[in-house]
Amino acid sequence: SKVADAFGTEHATVFQISTTSALIEGVQNKAVTVGDLRAHGDFGLGTFANFAGEMVIIDGEFICVPGHGLPHLANDSDPVPFAVVSAFRPDTNSRSGRITDFNELAATLDSLRASDNFFYAVRLDGDFTRVHTRAVCPTKPGAGLADAAQSQAEFRFENVKGSVVGFWFPSYAGTLNVVGWHLHFISTDRSAGGHLLGLSADDLTIQLQTMEDLHVSLPETKEFMRA
């Protein structure tokens, strides 16, 4: 961009497929494949077509956390209706100190943000005393996010080593994505994961990256066009 050129820097870009509004409306069939996403980053989150599971992207690994069964590596051909991907290059590195719940985590992360108007990518690593996650379960085609939530699975883990990845989106982007912190968890041994609902930990490493650019790619499908 001209702005980036003026400052001689390359802007950090969040690459997004579709919108959360479309997911809520039931546009949950294929927009792209996992293979397509690889070109846009090594970090992020999303879901799989027909709500076949939660997506966790970490260190270039694309992992599917299903509502039933164990997490597994996604195939390049797996269809994706919604994802948020970036090349993670953190600007800051800090420690969380003791965290007892999601709100406390959000407040800690908020204190590291310099602005309410940019996008942020975050990664947390360490030993979790407690983790509470959910994962969507497959639904019938055309079912919306509310229907998927009815059949979601919830998981609770204790004393697990792992990582949390995700993004912060500002309030003005609310029609495109989840406002605030949207985070997914994966254990180091890849046996547990999902969309993060709650946690506690004594001390986690926090890596944060400020993202100035958002690229939204809309699905070129009849379902999206008519939703």
Side-chain angles (χ1 to χ4, degrees), residues 141-194:
L145 205 52
D147 291 333
Q150 297 300 311
S151 66
Q152 71 184 20
E154 292 196 22
F155 308 107
R156 294 175 191 275
F157 312 106
E158 289 188 358
N159 302 319
V160 59
K161 187 184 286 289
S163 303
V164 169
V165 300
F167 299 92
W168 184 88
F169 270 63
S171 56
Y172 66 76
T175 54
L176 297 174
N177 208 319
V178 177
V179 171
W181 296 103
H182 181 188
L183 307 170
H184 284 194
F185 172 81
I186 189 73
S187 64
T188 304
D189 67 6
R190 305 296 189 250
S191 70

Side-chain angles (χ1 to χ4, degrees), residues 19-31:
T19 70
T20 48
S21 308
L23 270 190
I24 289 165
E25 291 295 321
V27 183
Q28 34 87 332
N29 47 353
K30 174 186 169 182

